[in-house]
Amino acid sequence: MGQFNADQLADRLEATAKARQATLARFRARPAADDPAVLARQAERQALVEARDQRSSEREAVRLAVEAEREAEALAARERAAAELVRQAAEKAERQVALAAEQKAARDARFAARKAKARR
């Protein structure tokens, strides 16, 4: 069995301590919240967010306008279809009235012919 190597343990502990110190030093070296560079980055991010929101609202407005236009076109199409149905129904009614008048005239002519034949 090998001996316990204390040097390796000490090296590992020292490396861990150095890593902790380096992390702490990086954390402490961070600029404060009121640092001009930090404020500039925040302002830039805020400007990007506002621009993104603006583009999003513009796209939404365009989408709503297109949707309203489509709705208006659909309504107009339904109104045209309803008007066409009304026109067709009126034409059909006129044809039926004309047909009924023709049939009545033909019937009256036949009746008059029978009466005339009976009188002779």
Side-chain angles (χ1 to χ4, degrees), residues 1-97:
M1 228 177 170
Q3 274 186 321
F4 179 70
N5 194 345
D7 291 335
Q8 286 182 352
L9 178 61
D11 291 341
R12 286 195 313 247
L13 289 174
E14 184 180 335
T16 304
K18 284 181 184 178
R20 282 190 187 139
Q21 288 298 324
T23 303
L24 186 58
R26 276 197 315 268
F27 179 75
R28 287 185 182 150
R30 277 189 7 202
D34 60 351
D35 186 27
V38 172
L39 294 176
R41 281 196 307 270
Q42 285 178 345
E44 185 178 320
R45 285 187 199 125
Q46 185 63 29
L48 289 174
V49 167
E50 289 172 0
R52 187 179 315 123
D53 290 344
Q54 178 68 24
R55 288 190 308 268
S56 175
S57 63
E58 288 171 358
R59 282 192 303 269
E60 181 68 15
V62 168
R63 186 188 65 80
L64 289 175
V66 167
E67 186 176 308
E69 185 178 326
R70 285 182 186 159
E71 220 171 275
E73 289 173 359
L75 179 62
R78 285 193 299 268
E79 288 175 354
R80 284 192 303 271
E84 180 66 19
L85 287 175
V86 168
R87 185 188 62 76
Q88 288 175 353
E91 286 179 358
K92 184 177 179 182
E94 287 177 16
R95 284 193 306 268
Q96 288 176 343
V97 167

